[in-house]
Amino acid sequence: MGTHVREQEKCVSRRPVLKSVAAGLVGMPLGISVAAEPDPVFAAIAVHSQLWHAVEQACCQDAVNDQVKKASLREGEALHRFLATVPTTRTGLRAYIDHLGSPMGFGEDGPSDEEMPAILKTIRAFAEARHA
C-alpha cells in the first residue's frame, strides 16, 4: 500500500501492518445495522482520516520507527472498521467509495487479498439493505 509520505525513507509501509490487522479481523461479524441519519460511514471516515494524518505527521517529524508502527497499527485498525461500516445512504456509499480510492484508502495500490472481501461484503450489505 506504499507509505504515507513516499519521499520519507524512514516511513514504514502500511501493508505489513494492515495484513496483520486484517488477519485478526477475518471472520469478524460486520455488525450491520441500517439506522436513520446520520450515516455512520461519515464518522468512520473521519476517525480513519484523523489517524492516517497522525501517521503522516509521525513520518514527517522523523518519529522513532516504533512510534510510526504504533500509529500505523491504530490507523490500520480504523481502516478496517471503516471497511466494515455499511453506509446507510447513497451519499454515504459515494463517500465510502471515494475514501477507498483516496490516498488514505488504497489509492493506486488497491486493497489486499484480505481487505477486498470486506469491501465487497460491505457494499453488498448496503445493496441488500436498500433494496431488500
Side-chain angles (χ1 to χ4, degrees), residues 16-40:
V17 173
L18 290 178
K19 282 188 177 183
S20 66
V21 171
L25 293 175
V26 171
M28 282 183 78
L30 284 177
I32 298 168
S33 64
V34 178
E37 297 294 331
D39 192 321

Side-chain angles (χ1 to χ4, degrees), residues 39 41-42 45 82 87-97 126:
D39 192 321
V41 78
F42 293 107
I45 290 169
F82 155 73
T88 58
T89 63
R90 289 188 324 182
T91 302
L93 181 63
R94 284 192 296 271
Y96 181 88
I97 292 168
F126 172 83

Side-chain angles (χ1 to χ4, degrees), residues 5 7 40 58 81 87 103:
V5 181
E7 58 274 1
R81 282 191 300 274

Side-chain angles (χ1 to χ4, degrees), residues 4 14 48 51-52 55 71-79 104:
H4 283 77
R14 294 188 312 166
H48 177 248
L51 292 171
W52 188 89
V55 173
S72 291
L73 182 60
R74 286 189 298 275
E75 182 268 334
E77 291 168 347
L79 174 64
M104 289 180 274

